[in-house]
Amino acid sequence: MKPKLIAADVDGTLLNSAGELTERTVSALREAEKQGIRTMLATGRMCCSGLVLARKLGMTAPCVFYNGSIIMNPVTEEIYFRQELDAGLVSRVLAYYRKKGWYIQKYVNDTLCVVDSSDERTQYYTAITKVTAVSLGEKFWTEPSVSTKLLVCAKETEDCAPMFEETKRVFGSELYVVGSWKRIFELVHPNVNKARAVAQAAEILGISREDTVCFGDSGNDNEMLRWAGLGVAMGNSGEETKRAADAVADTNDRDGLAKFVESLLA
């Protein structure tokens, strides 16, 4: 039986390692839409970044951004759900990170805010997501702000795990701390994850879990893959993500998502 909804992560799943959306992927997802299957994004990316991809793919179903912190209609930009971090908690996290000398960035009203946009870690992130960072200098640390999420980027991949574990130890009861991409992990509201958001989007569409297929490759996709009627891990996923899935596709550099979607449509 063909699914009624396909939800796809972006980085490492929908896009190849060069950050490209291949013609085969565009063709497969557009064909799914032609056959009456709704398609949507389920990404950690900002709305402004993800909407570009959603529109290129002709998506009209609610899309999930910021790891589930926002659910938005990609056509009208109507927001169905928003769950942000309060300014007091954000200030405490930033103070802790400043004391540690660790890098962190925040997202305010769909704007990427950093201390200094010339920082190598900011450059690493913006090269992936194609967004512009706003430098706030000292105000980054001192100006209270409600944030949709916080994102941490380590200088080296091996530095990421200790930072991740300490952040979970100190703030784990107040934040959902989850890995997303190599040197990067993210901090969102504890009531937020992709599974809950995709479930809510499916409910808006009147589509059941059993009729939903989800694709992902990283730790922030695991709940979503377990929740889906059919969870599909990319071939480039880590072992934990593959264990969370029902099936494993080819890698993102070999059009794994497109191939799997094509098989669903055949």
Side-chain angles (χ1 to χ4, degrees):
M1 181 183 292
K2 291 181 182 178
K4 294 180 180 178
L5 176 63
I6 294 172
D9 168 55
V10 172
D11 298 291
T13 301
L14 197 66
L15 306 182
N16 62 22
S17 295
E20 300 166 336
L21 184 62
T22 69
E23 286 305 315
R24 186 170 182 179
T25 299
V26 174
S27 177
L29 290 174
R30 282 191 170 271
E31 180 59 29
E33 287 277 353
K34 286 180 184 178
Q35 294 192 24
I37 301 169
R38 308 301 298 276
T39 61
M40 62 176 287
L41 300 182
T43 179
R45 285 195 180 207
M46 305 166 67
C47 301
C48 61
S49 175
L51 285 172
V52 174
L53 295 170
R55 289 165 179 166
K56 186 171 183 178
L57 290 162
M59 293 176 170
T60 59
C63 287
V64 171
F65 303 107
Y66 291 103
N67 282 322
S69 298
I70 291 179
I71 303 172
M72 177 184 285
N73 183 309
V75 179
T76 66
E77 298 189 19
E78 176 186 356
I79 294 177
Y80 301 109
F81 173 83
R82 183 199 298 266
Q83 180 71 73
E84 298 182 300
L85 300 172
D86 70 69
L89 174 58
V90 171
S91 293
R92 287 193 289 112
V93 174
L94 294 187
Y96 190 86
Y97 266 68
R98 188 178 198 182
K99 184 177 180 180
K100 285 283 186 179
W102 292 348
Y103 176 90
I104 193 167
Q105 56 193 43
K106 59 184 177 180
Y107 299 77
V108 182
N109 296 324
D110 208 36
T111 299
L112 169 59
C113 301
V114 298
V115 175
D116 179 1
S117 61
S118 67
D119 189 289
E120 181 275 331
R121 291 154 293 189
T122 305
Q123 296 290 314
Y124 172 78
Y125 176 83
T126 56
I128 295 170
T129 60
K130 311 295 190 295
V131 297
T132 301
V134 176
S135 299
L136 297 180
E138 180 67 16
K139 285 185 177 180
F140 176 87
W141 303 109
T142 59
E143 195 170 80
S145 55
V146 172
S147 300
T148 313
K149 76 170 182 179
L150 302 171
L151 183 143
V152 180
C153 183
K155 283 187 175 180
E156 304 293 341
T157 303
E158 57 267 26
D159 297 331
C160 195
M163 296 166 68
F164 178 86
E165 292 302 328
E166 182 162 345
T167 302
K168 281 187 71 173
R169 179 181 61 79
V170 177
F171 295 104
S173 63
E174 300 176 274
L175 294 166
Y176 174 49
V177 183
V178 64
S180 61
W181 183 252
K182 297 179 181 178
R183 295 160 50 186
I184 292 170
F185 62 92
E186 305 181 29
L187 291 63
V188 293
H189 193 279
N191 292 338
V192 162
N193 63 48
K194 289 187 183 183
R196 291 179 179 179
V198 174
Q200 188 171 338
E203 184 177 357
I204 292 168
L205 296 169
I207 296 173
S208 70
R209 177 185 68 82
E210 290 76 16
D211 288 322
T212 303
V213 178
C214 294
F215 290 86
D217 75 297
S218 296
N220 61 341
D221 299 312
N222 292 350
E223 291 96 341
M224 176 177 74
L225 298 182
R226 294 190 189 100
W227 171 85
L230 177 61
V232 184
M234 301 301 292
N236 46 287
S237 304
E239 289 305 312
E240 183 180 357
T241 299
K242 289 177 179 177
R243 287 194 297 270
D246 303 297
V248 178
D250 206 340
T251 69
N252 64 323
D253 286 330
R254 291 169 53 88
D255 281 318
L257 182 145
K259 290 176 183 176
F260 204 100
V261 170
E262 289 165 0
S263 73
L264 295 172
L265 303 180

